[in-house]
Amino acid sequence: MSAELSLQLIDTHAGGDVSRIVVGGIDPLPGTTVRQQMEYLRDDADGLRKLLLNEPYGIPEMSVDLIVPATHPEARMGYIIMEVMGYPIYSGSNTICTATALLENGMIPKQEGHQHFVLESPAGLVNIEARVENGVVEAITCEGLPTYIDTYRASIQVPSIGEVTYSIAYSGGFYALVDAAELGFALTRDEERRLARCAHAIVEALQIRGGFSHYTLGDVGPLPFLHFMGPVEQVAEGFYRSRSATYVHENVICRSTTGTGTSARLALMHHEGLVQPGDRLETVSLRDSGFIGELTRARRDGNHDVVDNTITGKAHVLARSDIIINRDDPMVNCDGLHHILTSRHRTVD
């Protein structure tokens, strides 16, 4: 007799970024909020993240989203985001994928036309608008986090690169924003490895300088992300487009432009007087996928100019599957995981 350990997954992608949505197999987590449940996973059950983002089950370029019951009465469901760099409190692409999976899997019933509901992320409540046509989720629009510019056009000496000019934005994590052309990039797919190496060098140099402090959250650790900005093209009145690429971890350039990267870019453009509330920016990735960010409001919060925004994108369901966790496999490590598996109580011949 041996324990059958399994997880139920829905694999999705938005703009090329794969998000594995865990819809079954995990026990209820302790915590009175989704944020506290995320902290429990991070501190006491990190094995789930490691299992699904490493061989033989996954790769670091993927993300994982665990569906949990909402703790807030306004929210339909909660979700916890896991990436190779840890546990971001918010992600646009993961939110788009999670909302789509919940609808396509019937966990939130679909309604034809425009449908509104609320999800609970570790960052708090997120308003969602789904556009459903002929029973298919064609687009998800989700709120981005309030975003602001922390540092504008500073410079740093980076080994092997030289002097680099950068700005810093907060949009759910701290981002370094750099001009791609100034660093010799046209943001084409063949540059992906060089972009990753360049971004890693810049982020390492910035991390040596120290962490960044959010004006309400405090110290959120070292800066993890970098966003390469291409030239801005005006497509129509109040509508702009720019090629972009987002770095999230050593050797990892996101397939999409990322929702938080798009929010960061909107904040910088507003800081420079290039966009106003109601204007939209489409960021286009190395793979020609895109997200559309809209600046919905600009406001003053204490000593900071903050922009509110939404991110719109489309996710696709790739697979519905059961992951069988074989504890006899030498490549599988259940440390930090076994105690939260629902199936740990069942045995099979």
Side-chain angles (χ1 to χ4, degrees):
M1 303 285 284
S2 63
E4 179 184 281
L5 306 176
S6 64
L7 301 172
Q8 290 73 58
L9 305 179
I10 303 174
D11 282 357
T12 63
H13 87 87
D17 283 330
V18 174
S19 291
R20 316 195 83 170
I21 316 299
V22 182
V23 296
I26 298 296
D27 280 342
L29 303 176
T32 59
T33 65
V34 170
R35 179 66 171 266
Q36 290 178 2
Q37 293 175 36
M38 178 210 79
E39 291 168 349
Y40 174 80
L41 270 186
R42 182 194 66 199
D43 298 337
D44 296 292
D46 194 37
L48 178 64
R49 181 184 69 89
K50 292 177 179 177
L51 180 87
L52 294 179
L53 293 181
N54 292 307
E55 295 180 347
Y57 294 101
I59 57 174
E61 288 84 352
M62 304 168 74
S63 299
V64 175
D65 299 283
L66 172 64
I67 302 300
V68 297
T71 65
H72 194 285
E74 294 180 19
R76 300 290 295 273
M77 301 293 287
Y79 64 108
I80 297 169
I81 306 157
M82 289 165 270
E83 297 181 352
V84 66
M85 47 69 68
Y87 292 80
I89 62 171
Y90 187 74
S91 162
S93 60
N94 281 281
T95 300
I96 290 167
C97 285
T98 297
T100 300
L102 289 169
L103 290 164
E104 296 291 8
N105 206 45
M107 299 172 78
I108 295 177
K110 278 188 283 191
Q111 300 172 12
E112 195 71 13
H114 291 270
Q115 174 178 355
H116 294 84
F117 54 91
V118 176
L119 297 178
E120 185 180 356
S121 77
L125 297 181
V126 182
N127 287 301
I128 304 291
E129 179 184 283
R131 178 164 58 85
V132 180
E133 296 180 1
N134 299 316
V136 177
V137 181
E138 294 292 346
I140 296 289
T141 298
C142 55
E143 287 180 300
L145 292 191
T147 304
Y148 69 97
I149 298 301
D150 175 274
T151 305
Y152 181 64
R153 291 192 65 80
S155 63
I156 189 170
Q157 284 291 330
V158 179
S160 77
I161 296 176
E163 186 174 9
V164 174
T165 299
Y166 67 94
S167 298
I168 301 292
Y170 180 85
S171 56
F174 278 105
Y175 269 88
L177 298 155
V178 297
D179 186 290
E182 289 181 3
L183 292 163
F185 295 108
L187 296 180
T188 55
R189 188 166 176 176
D190 61 300
E191 297 174 331
E192 188 167 1
R193 289 186 179 181
R194 290 199 299 119
L195 285 163
R197 289 195 297 268
C198 176
H200 182 69
I202 297 170
V203 167
E204 272 200 327
L206 288 169
Q207 288 178 345
I208 290 172
R209 281 194 171 180
F212 290 85
S213 181
H214 188 278
Y215 66 97
T216 59
L217 299 175
D219 183 7
V220 294
L223 176 141
F225 307 126
L226 183 141
H227 191 73
F228 290 99
M229 305 180 295
V232 175
E233 167 195 8
Q234 184 164 0
V235 179
E237 182 67 29
F239 184 44
Y240 302 88
R241 180 177 293 134
S242 176
R243 295 193 69 81
S244 306
T246 296
Y247 164 91
V248 294
H249 187 71
E250 187 174 4
N251 299 320
V252 179
I253 295 288
C254 283
R255 271 63 171 171
S256 78
T257 52
T258 72
T260 48
T262 303
S263 298
R265 185 75 185 278
L266 272 175
L268 181 62
M269 291 177 68
H270 181 262
H271 186 83
E272 295 176 333
L274 301 177
V275 292
Q276 301 301 321
D279 289 349
R280 295 179 296 156
L281 169 70
E282 181 181 20
T283 51
V284 180
S285 75
L286 303 182
R287 288 164 172 76
D288 295 324
S289 61
F291 290 148
I292 295 176
E294 180 175 345
L295 198 163
T296 57
R297 184 171 65 143
R299 56 190 172 88
R300 190 75 175 168
D301 189 357
N303 295 322
H304 293 83
D305 292 317
V306 176
V307 299
D308 297 323
N309 59 93
T310 62
I311 302 297
T312 299
K314 179 178 172 64
H316 299 266
V317 174
L318 300 173
R320 295 178 176 88
S321 61
D322 286 350
I323 291 287
I324 306 303
I325 304 171
N326 185 352
R327 291 177 298 171
D328 297 327
D329 186 337
M331 294 186 67
V332 175
N333 186 347
C334 286
D335 291 345
L337 171 64
H338 185 271
H339 61 295
I340 61 171
L341 289 169
T342 302
S343 55
R344 72 188 189 278
H345 301 296
R346 295 201 306 268
T347 57
V348 295
D349 292 321

